[in-house]
Amino acid sequence: MKINLENLKYKHAKSRMKEIKAFYIMLTGCILLTPYLIFINMKVNPEFQWFWFPIFGFAVSVFGYAFYLFIGKNWEEKKIKDLLEKEKINSKSL
């Protein structure tokens, strides 16, 4: 049983690390793409600054994913633990 628990913890940590890595890759992509979009906009049509629209979209997606990853996931895991503890208590009382 101890081996299974350690294996599950390892799998959970590995999947969590993949999600964090994906977040940082997305953040890096947004940071690298933003100056390019500003440059293109200023070269082609400096009167209308359309680059604000994708920057706003990048910001919303990065903040949303960060909220889910660093705050939302914790809430989800805590709720699962609470439900499992309640189920243990209910099964002991029967």
Side-chain angles (χ1 to χ4, degrees), residues 8 39 42 47-48 62 66 75 88:
L8 285 174
F39 175 76
M42 292 300 140
E47 294 86 32
F48 179 66
V62 167
W75 174 85
K88 278 184 183 179

Side-chain angles (χ1 to χ4, degrees), residues 84-94:
L84 289 174
E85 287 178 14
K86 286 180 184 179
E87 190 174 309
K88 278 184 183 179
I89 292 170
N90 289 340
S91 65
K92 286 181 180 180
S93 66
L94 293 176

